[in-house]
Amino acid sequence: MQILKVENLSKSFDGTEVVTNVSFEITKGEVVAVIGPSGSGKSTLLRCLNLLERIDQGTVVVAGDTMVETSSNGQVRYASEEKLRKIRLHLGMVFQNFNLFPHFSVLQNITEAPLRVAGLSIAEARVIALGLLDKIGLHDKADAYPYQLSGGQSQRVAIARAMAMNPDILFFDEPTSALDPELTGEVLKVIRNLASEHMTMMVVTHEMSFARDVADRIIFMDKGQIIEEGAPHQIFSSPTNERTKTFLKNFYNNSGF
């Protein structure tokens, strides 16, 4: 089943094109890792797919519902607000810097959207939240506040918060970039577990080992374009594009990968 279809998506800021004519599809249960140098448009692409930025051109279809399309005369048309609200329920987003509500406890951070958006009862939302906290190994932090958590714990709570709405696809925008190296592993473990449960995910990451080992498909972006995509073994062992080769060679040299 196709969860996400993107055709010819472009996005500019102040006349500078940041994402250029990007097209790809993601099927149910697939994990897609997006890699590439900083400034290549990866995070902007995710923001466009999550309705945090409006596109300049293209078509995006989520779980069969058209979010936005471009007519033959170049006019970009988004779905109605009512339909966009429905589409947002299919999407979960985990940001680089957690974005937890500082005045809410961990439990409140996770239950807020199920209560306010999905209309669940307090009891229903609490059961979901506590189950997710068990899953990420933080049941004992239910009553803690974000300032009492480590960066790794905060990011795990952010993942639980996104999962609480039971999205069809979960987006990660460099989920470990704000963490100390020793805290990265606990977050990647949670994502690996989600992958083993066939959660559909699109992960922008600089963690090459993680991308190689967990993803079903790799997308390499540079200068706002998809330069190459394929299975991890193909991209990491025998990339065909010279830009991909250069990027991975630099990474190998710098990391001892």
Side-chain angles (χ1 to χ4, degrees):
M1 177 183 173
Q2 186 185 85
I3 296 297
L4 180 67
K5 182 176 182 179
V6 179
E7 293 182 330
N8 306 318
L9 189 152
S10 295
K11 174 64 180 178
S12 298
F13 292 105
D14 299 323
T16 300
E17 199 155 58
V18 179
V19 178
T20 305
N21 204 35
V22 163
S23 299
F24 63 91
E25 298 178 7
I26 297 179
T27 58
K28 185 175 177 61
E30 189 176 19
V31 179
V32 176
V34 186
I35 64 173
S38 297
S40 59
K42 307 183 300 295
S43 293
T44 298
L45 174 61
L46 254 59
R47 290 181 64 83
C48 289
L49 298 177
N50 280 275
L51 291 163
L52 299 173
E53 300 285 354
R54 294 278 169 145
I55 68 173
D56 300 324
Q57 174 187 305
T59 298
V60 178
V61 180
V62 179
D65 289 325
T66 300
M67 174 195 296
V68 57
E69 59 186 347
T70 303
S71 65
S72 57
N73 64 4
Q75 182 179 3
V76 176
R77 294 180 296 200
Y78 276 83
S80 66
E81 282 303 317
E82 180 181 356
K83 190 170 185 181
L84 290 179
R85 282 195 294 271
K86 175 186 174 185
I87 290 172
R88 284 189 181 97
L89 297 177
H90 294 289
L91 311 172
M93 179 74 168
V94 179
F95 299 89
Q96 295 180 31
N97 295 309
F98 327 137
N99 287 10
L100 299 178
F101 298 118
H103 57 296
F104 281 0
S105 69
V106 165
L107 192 64
Q108 288 173 309
N109 264 282
I110 298 173
T111 58
E112 179 69 5
L115 288 171
R116 306 297 179 188
V117 180
L120 299 186
S121 69
I122 293 175
E124 290 170 328
R126 183 181 174 87
V127 167
I128 291 170
L130 291 176
L132 288 168
L133 286 173
D134 274 338
K135 193 171 188 175
I136 63 172
L138 290 176
H139 190 278
D140 61 329
K141 298 295 184 181
D143 296 322
Y145 284 80
Y147 77 90
Q148 298 172 306
L149 306 176
S150 69
Q153 290 171 336
S154 293
Q155 192 61 294
R156 286 149 68 190
V157 172
I159 293 171
R161 180 178 62 181
M163 290 295 297
M165 292 296 289
N166 193 30
D168 288 317
I169 182 168
L170 196 54
F171 296 94
F172 293 85
D173 185 10
E174 298 185 14
T176 61
S177 66
L179 302 178
D180 294 333
E182 64 183 11
L183 299 176
T184 295
E186 64 188 56
V187 173
L188 294 181
K189 180 181 178 181
V190 171
I191 302 175
R192 288 175 187 269
N193 289 341
L194 290 174
S196 70
E197 296 170 1
H198 307 293
M199 178 69 202
T200 310
M201 295 184 283
M202 184 174 185
V203 186
V204 169
T205 183
H206 289 296
E207 300 287 341
M208 296 297 112
S209 298
F210 169 80
R212 180 195 61 185
D213 296 342
V214 176
D216 300 299
R217 181 157 45 99
I218 305 291
I219 290 176
F220 174 70
M221 289 186 68
D222 187 38
K223 296 180 180 178
Q225 297 179 299
I226 292 179
I227 303 300
E228 187 169 0
E229 66 176 301
H233 67 83
Q234 182 262 308
I235 296 295
F236 284 99
S237 301
S238 54
T240 59
N241 187 278
E242 288 301 319
R243 182 65 186 95
T244 314
K245 293 177 183 178
T246 301
F247 174 80
L248 291 175
K249 181 180 179 181
N250 287 335
F251 176 78
Y252 295 150
N253 290 341
N254 292 332
S255 68
F257 184 86

